[in-house]
Amino acid sequence: METKAVKSETKHQIISPSQMLAHWQGHRKLTRRVIEAFPADQLFTFGLGGMRSYGEMVKELIAIAGPGVKGLAIGEWKELDENLDLGDSKEKLLKMWDETTQEIDHWFPKISLDKYQETVLAFGQYEDKSYCTLLYFIDNEIHHRGQAYVYLRALGIAPPDFWER
Amino acid sequence: METKAVKSETKHQIISPSQMLAHWQGHRKLTRRVIEAFPADQLFTFGLGGMRSYGEMVKELIAIAGPGVKGLAIGEWKELDENLDLGDSKEKLLKMWDETTQEIDHWFPKISLDKYQETVLAFGQYEDKSYCTLLYFIDNEIHHRGQAYVYLRALGIAPPDFWER
């Protein structure tokens, strides 16, 4: 049910911050199911056409998401570090994924609405408007998850439906 | 250079309609380069894991994009029709892609700002808020393009960089 507060928040804009957060977390739920669909012994080893395993791609997504949203919120950036110490464990990857979910929920609402149109130097090296940087985080996740769909199909596994969030 | 008009349009929102249009058309430029990267004799034949060829996926994207934006703009929806008569020609596919680019540029600015928060029954069957429907069009394109990256790599072809728009 839509409250007056929601109507006021969403008036005169394509998408409100809380809607963008829900949109991304919806995508992240699907990504989590895709990670789960991989056999543990294929997640960090299987690749096609010389490409990285999906486990390695997910490390990149995790390295970006939590620190990225915190950076957008308070302007604190460190260098991007994808070398997560997970011992190529599917269980640890999923645990870190869930921790990131909480980090995003914590920091996202702290990005002020005016911030999105400001230019930011993400991770000390990627200059763009904040909204473009945020969309990059989400789009990059969708891009790599699309690749994981091919990996799963090639492994004979049916991936979850794209429209299920 | 940012004008006062742009500042006024983007105030108090994550992303303005003209920025969303530019964001999507940026993605579509990249998608076009990915289509171009396929050898003509592989575009409609090559697949992995029993999946469709990228040419077939692009037909879906074309069937959605132009009619979808027109539908969001004026509420006129037909059933989704992916059976485009292209004779599996790369040249014809690219021509139709470019026509869709013009359709999007024509209809997108006609989507009123209030419309995005309204519920719509896209193509007579997919019910959602308009902003979710629009994001679905874009996300679905990114999803399938990610799959095309694997196809190209498996064919020994380096795809264009994801961040080049």
Side-chain angles (χ1 to χ4, degrees):
Chain A
M1 208 179 70
E2 213 166 45
T3 64
K4 274 190 183 174
V6 169
K7 275 200 188 297
S8 154
E9 197 216 14
T10 56
K11 210 178 168 188
H12 301 310
Q13 53 186 329
I14 292 182
I15 182 168
S16 74
S18 61
Q19 289 174 332
M20 184 65 92
L21 172 58
H23 175 70
W24 189 11
Q25 294 288 30
H27 269 301
R28 295 186 74 261
K29 271 182 199 161
L30 175 59
T31 302
R32 194 188 195 285
R33 283 203 292 276
V34 170
I35 299 168
E36 280 186 301
F38 273 85
D41 63 346
Q42 301 283 3
L43 184 56
F44 291 95
T45 55
F46 184 81
L48 289 168
M51 293 172 72
R52 287 178 292 173
S53 70
Y54 189 50
E56 288 302 318
M57 294 179 192
V58 174
K59 282 189 190 175
E60 176 192 303
L61 302 180
I62 290 174
I64 289 172
V69 174
K70 185 179 175 184
L72 290 174
I74 61 170
E76 191 184 294
W77 295 99
K78 290 174 190 166
E79 213 172 301
L80 195 62
D81 181 15
E82 300 176 23
N83 296 314
L84 310 180
D85 184 20
L86 299 168
D88 290 357
S89 153
K90 178 178 170 178
E91 201 185 333
K92 283 187 188 167
L93 190 73
L94 285 168
K95 188 167 171 283
M96 203 152 189
W97 187 263
D98 295 338
E99 286 164 5
T100 297
T101 302
Q102 292 181 2
E103 277 177 65
I104 293 171
D105 278 341
H106 175 78
W107 289 111
F108 200 106
K110 295 181 173 57
I111 306 171
S112 72
L113 194 48
D114 291 340
K115 181 75 190 174
Y116 288 100
Q117 294 293 328
E118 291 172 14
T119 298
V120 69
L121 193 67
F123 298 101
Q125 59 174 321
Y126 306 106
E127 189 177 279
D128 213 335
K129 290 211 175 189
S130 295
Y131 80 87
C132 296
T133 299
L134 174 66
L135 289 176
Y136 187 90
F137 298 168
I138 302 172
D139 296 347
N140 185 53
E141 178 177 335
I142 300 168
H143 172 69
H144 286 311
R145 191 181 57 210
Q147 299 172 338
Y149 272 60
V150 187
Y151 286 11
L152 286 173
R153 287 282 181 198
L155 287 166
I157 297 164
D161 288 326
F162 176 65
W163 53 87
E164 271 180 32
R165 304 284 159 85
Chain B
M1 209 179 65
E2 213 167 45
T3 63
K4 274 192 186 174
V6 169
K7 275 198 189 299
S8 153
E9 196 215 14
T10 57
K11 212 180 167 187
H12 302 310
Q13 54 186 329
I14 294 182
I15 182 168
S16 73
S18 61
Q19 289 174 332
M20 184 65 92
L21 172 58
H23 175 70
W24 189 11
Q25 293 286 32
H27 269 302
R28 294 186 74 263
K29 271 182 200 163
L30 175 60
T31 302
R32 193 186 197 284
R33 283 202 293 273
V34 170
I35 300 168
E36 280 186 301
F38 272 85
D41 62 347
Q42 301 284 3
L43 184 57
F44 290 94
T45 55
F46 184 80
L48 289 168
M51 294 172 71
R52 286 178 294 175
S53 70
Y54 190 50
E56 287 303 317
M57 294 179 193
V58 173
K59 281 189 191 176
E60 175 192 305
L61 302 180
I62 290 174
I64 289 173
V69 173
K70 185 179 176 185
L72 289 174
I74 62 169
E76 190 185 296
W77 294 100
K78 291 175 190 165
E79 214 172 301
L80 195 61
D81 181 15
E82 302 176 22
N83 296 315
L84 310 180
D85 184 20
L86 299 168
D88 290 356
S89 152
K90 177 177 170 178
E91 199 185 337
K92 283 187 189 168
L93 190 71
L94 285 169
K95 187 167 172 282
M96 202 152 191
W97 188 263
D98 295 338
E99 286 164 5
T100 296
T101 302
Q102 292 180 2
E103 275 177 66
I104 294 171
D105 278 341
H106 176 78
W107 289 110
F108 200 107
K110 295 180 173 59
I111 305 172
S112 72
L113 194 46
D114 291 338
K115 181 77 189 173
Y116 288 100
Q117 294 293 328
E118 291 173 15
T119 298
V120 68
L121 193 66
F123 298 102
Q125 60 173 321
Y126 306 106
E127 189 177 279
D128 214 334
K129 289 210 174 189
S130 295
Y131 81 87
C132 296
T133 300
L134 173 65
L135 289 176
Y136 188 90
F137 298 167
I138 302 172
D139 296 348
N140 186 53
E141 177 176 333
I142 299 169
H143 173 69
H144 287 310
R145 191 181 56 210
Q147 299 172 338
Y149 272 60
V150 187
Y151 286 10
L152 285 174
R153 288 281 182 196
L155 287 166
I157 297 163
D161 289 325
F162 175 65
W163 53 87
E164 270 179 35
R165 305 282 159 83

